[in-house]
Amino acid sequence: QTEQMSNSSSISQFLLLSFADTRQLQLLHFWLFLPPVRANGLIITPIAWDHHLHTPMYFFLLNLSVLDLGSISTTVPKAMANSLMDNRSISYLGCAAQLFFFLFLISAEYFLLTIMAYDRYVAICQPLHYGTLLGTRACAHMAAAAWASGFLYALLHTANTFSVPLCQGNAVGQFFCEIPHILKLSCSHSYLREIGLLVVGACFGFVCFIFVVMSYVVIFRAVLRIPSEKGRHKTFSTCLPHLSVVSLFLSTGIFAYLKPPSISSPCLDVVVSVLYSVVPPAVNPLIYSLRNKELKDGLRKMMS
């Protein structure tokens, strides 16, 4: 055990999987990174600037865009820098920080998406109580709870993952530091405690998922009771962006972590990890802004 611990403590850096070997793929990094940054900025700025958008729905959307901006900034810039400098290394502390911030922002985003389902439920099913149930203080407390839960969840997992003795080298089979790939470097059976924590985390995630599903079951029942087709369409269109974002977030994450080992390969792993770590933060602003007239008007007013 002492030898195992010394092996773990002697690791000063990890080697990440090379994301891009050619100049064309290196340029793809910028294509992946810059548009999402600009798109999230174009959502954050008008919501913060235009007082007409200071409503619970847009307050939560502002938080979502900040989390998206943070999560994509945690993984892609380091991979970009490594590929441009033809380097694969990341320091031990840098790897721990990257794992912590990515997990913190992703889990906070999931909790926030659950809260946003509650926002849509109250807006459609209990509109007379909307101002009471989702007042300024209540919204601030909910958003703070999502951020704090994500922080504690990430802190627990990061501390536990990096307390595991590592004796399988330092090559991480991923373009950023991630729990399953760090655990692959651990000594036999020393990772079981972290696996237990992941199972507990998955159970909490499942409870949030059930809450979102039940909210939308009630919402759809309420929408179908609206007599006019135009009214049904308008009400449903306010839920569609959130439903699309939740579906994208869950489907890419579930596929990444639950895909059969038989179809796993380094190339496919990189593609799949891009799907769940880069695509949702990049696509979310488009989903929310594409058909949102108020957001477009706010942006137009700000520009003029």
Side-chain angles (χ1 to χ4, degrees), residues 137-285:
R137 185 175 289 182
C139 289
H141 286 167
M142 286 180 196
W147 285 82
S149 301
F151 181 86
L152 289 171
Y153 182 75
L155 190 66
L156 189 65
H157 279 291
T158 306
N160 203 52
T161 300
F162 282 90
S163 68
V164 169
L166 308 176
C167 50
Q168 304 287 335
N170 67 339
V172 179
Q174 181 61 283
F175 74 92
F176 65 96
C177 289
E178 195 181 27
I179 290 176
H181 293 275
I182 299 293
L183 292 183
K184 283 180 183 176
L185 306 177
S186 66
C187 306
S188 59
H189 305 302
S190 59
Y191 58 85
L192 292 176
R193 187 176 56 181
E194 176 56 24
I195 294 293
L197 273 177
L198 286 170
V199 170
V200 171
C203 291
F204 277 113
F206 185 69
V207 169
C208 290
F209 172 72
I210 293 298
F211 180 85
V212 172
V213 170
M214 293 305 292
S215 298
Y216 273 103
V217 167
V218 178
I219 286 168
F220 289 151
R221 281 180 178 171
V223 170
L224 291 172
R225 283 199 295 268
I226 296 170
S228 71
E229 191 179 331
K230 190 179 178 182
R232 283 199 299 269
H233 177 75
K234 188 180 177 183
T235 308
F236 184 67
S237 66
T238 64
C239 301
L240 202 57
H242 176 258
L243 202 54
S244 304
V245 167
V246 171
S247 302
L248 180 68
F249 184 91
L250 288 175
S251 59
T252 52
I254 288 168
F255 180 71
Y257 283 101
L258 299 181
K259 70 179 189 302
S262 57
I263 64 165
S264 186
S265 70
C267 184
L268 180 66
D269 287 350
V270 168
V271 172
V272 168
S273 59
V274 167
L275 270 179
Y276 84 92
S277 65
V278 178
V279 171
V283 175
N284 288 356

Side-chain angles (χ1 to χ4, degrees), residues 278-300:
V278 178
V279 171
V283 175
N284 288 356
L286 290 174
I287 292 171
Y288 268 102
S289 62
L290 212 56
R291 296 176 62 187
N292 193 311
K293 190 177 180 296
E294 288 179 318
L295 208 53
K296 287 177 183 175
D297 288 345
L299 191 59
R300 203 176 293 117

Side-chain angles (χ1 to χ4, degrees), residues 38-54 58 62 289 294-303:
R38 285 167 58 188
N40 280 295
L42 288 174
I43 282 185
I44 292 166
T45 315
I47 293 174
W49 183 83
D50 189 350
H51 69 276
H52 291 109
L53 298 177
H54 293 175
Y58 289 107
L62 174 74
S289 62
E294 288 179 318
L295 208 53
K296 287 177 183 175
D297 288 345
L299 191 59
R300 203 176 293 117
K301 277 196 285 184
M302 192 188 72
M303 299 285 276

Side-chain angles (χ1 to χ4, degrees), residues 125-151:
C125 301
Q126 299 187 39
L128 297 176
H129 301 287
Y130 190 71
T132 312
L133 294 172
L134 286 159
T136 307
R137 185 175 289 182
C139 289
H141 286 167
M142 286 180 196
W147 285 82
S149 301
F151 181 86

